[in-house]
């Protein structure tokens, strides 16, 4: 049985699982467990001392807790349907499930919101705010397992994933942004901001002032968090261009010794998240503005996910280029960093470009 069919069977039986490919890696990781193996937390720092696959929201609410799937089954290289038997894993029940049609956001509404955001930045202490929108797409009849493998094939340098979890439901995505990862000796975190359409020839990338400024905001924030955790020795690489799917970003990587946060990883991530790359600066002001202006709940978009101390492995990514999957729709989420230099029409087009990473898999003819 092909692996895509195994994944479809897990979905059909409503078994809690997460499967993923790390960037530039063809080994499929998978965690599956009983409903009793799923932990829910109402604070990010409650992940201290835990191990499993984490799926965390942008903002914790009663309906969107931090979810940790502890592994009944964990395979780092899932390559054959004979590797595990999920017939003894108990499915989870979805109590009182009601799915409303997603209306999305019109272009006029989004442009108006961006205009208001630029005006607010120019008149206040805000320097950057991320404004997002939802893009509903009719769900095709193709299997989710096959769409997931196609997404990995098209975005090999992203963290591609598919999860089915109580409280969250089914989500799929291909994110380029590391939140925190470890190779054992060192942790790495990444400052990622600025977007342009990907170039497919040998042409060089040129970045404008708005993108460079936006990326510098995020890097500055990272250093403030380092200071709070007594991290004064670190190495940086970048800023450099990172290509992912249909777009390219500016990226700076930071490396520091593991012992600094080994025992308080949950606290470190709680302070790091949400970064200015998904929220804005100053963080509290930007978050208040998002609550006021965004008409939708981001749920797990711009949250974080990945293996959390599974075999001591930490590979946590920010949940970008993602979609929530209902019975009838794929609900894509896309956003952009708004500064005083933002042009509303350009910001609308940037969200369209970001959505193409997923749209080109859902509707291959739209490539």
């Amino acid at each position: 049985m092909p692996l895509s069919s195994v994944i479809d069977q897990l979905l059909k039986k409503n078994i809690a699982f997460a499967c993923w490919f790390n960037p530039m890696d063809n080994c499929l990781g998978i965690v599956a467990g009983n409903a009793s193996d799923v932990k829910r937390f109402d604070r990010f720092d409650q992940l201290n001392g835990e191990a499993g696959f984490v799926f965390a929201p942008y903002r914790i609410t009663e309906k969107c807790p931090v979810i940790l799937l502890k592994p009944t089954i964990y395979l780092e290289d899932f390559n054959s349907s004979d590797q595990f038997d999920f017939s003894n894993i108990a499915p989870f029940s979805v109590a009182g499930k009601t799915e409303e049609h997603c209306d999305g956001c019109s272009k006029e509404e989004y442009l108006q919101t961006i205009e208001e955001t630029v005006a607010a930045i120019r008149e206040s202490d805000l320097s950057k705010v991320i404004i997002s929108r939802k893009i509903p797409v009719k769900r095709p009849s193709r299997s989710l397992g096959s769409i997931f493998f196609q997404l990995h094939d098209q975005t090999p340098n992203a963290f591609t994933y598919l999860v089915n979890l109580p409280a969250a439901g089914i989500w799929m995505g291909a994110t380029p942004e590391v939140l925190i990862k470890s190779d054992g000796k060192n942790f790495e975190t990444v400052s990622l901001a600025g977007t342009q359409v990907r170039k497919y020839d040998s042409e060089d990338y040129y970045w404008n002032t708005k993108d460079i400024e936006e990326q510098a905001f995020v890097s500055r924030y990272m250093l403030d968090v380092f200071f709070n955790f007594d991290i004064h020795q670190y190495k940086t690489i970048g800023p450099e261009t990172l290509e992912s799917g249909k777009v390219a970003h500016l990226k700076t990587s930071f490396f520091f010794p593991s012992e600094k946060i080994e025992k308080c990883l949950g606290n470190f991530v709680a302070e790091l998240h949400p970064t200015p790359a998904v929220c804005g600066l100053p963080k509290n002001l930007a978050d208040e503005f998002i609550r006021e202006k965004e008409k939708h709940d981001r749920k797990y978009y711009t949250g974080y996910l990945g293996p959390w101390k599974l075999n001591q492995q930490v590979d946590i990514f920010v949940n970008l280029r993602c979609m929530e999957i209902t019975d009838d729709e794929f609900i894509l989420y896309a956003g952009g960093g708004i500064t005083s230099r933002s042009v509303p029409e350009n910001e609308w087009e940037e969200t369209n470009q970001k959505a193409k990473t997923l749209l080109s898999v859902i509707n291959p003819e739209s490539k």
Side-chain angles (χ1 to χ4, degrees), residues 29-95:
I30 188 165
V31 169
N34 297 296
S36 57
D37 296 317
V38 179
K39 285 190 163 188
R40 305 183 192 199
F41 303 116
D42 56 15
R43 293 201 324 269
F44 294 117
D45 60 5
Q46 289 172 320
L47 287 165
N48 281 333
E50 295 286 352
F53 188 96
V54 68
F55 197 65
Y58 168 71
R59 182 186 294 119
I60 296 171
T61 65
E62 194 175 326
K63 290 183 178 178
C64 294
V66 177
I67 301 170
L68 184 79
L69 176 58
K70 298 186 81 65
T72 295
I73 292 165
Y74 170 42
L75 296 171
E76 290 183 276
D77 185 8
F78 177 37
N79 54 42
S80 166
S81 59
D82 301 326
Q83 282 176 283
F84 76 86
D85 177 11
F86 56 81
S87 59
N88 294 323
I89 298 179
F92 65 90
S93 58
V94 182

Side-chain angles (χ1 to χ4, degrees), residues 16 40 46 52 75 92-93 139 148 150-151 159 162 255 262 284 313 317-318 338 356:
R40 305 183 192 199
Q46 289 172 320
L75 296 171
F92 65 90
S93 58
R139 181 171 168 176
F148 166 64
Q150 187 184 342
L151 182 62
F159 179 86
L162 174 62
F255 302 87
E262 194 71 65
N284 290 343
Q313 175 191 13
F317 288 77
V318 181
I338 313 305
K356 281 183 180 178

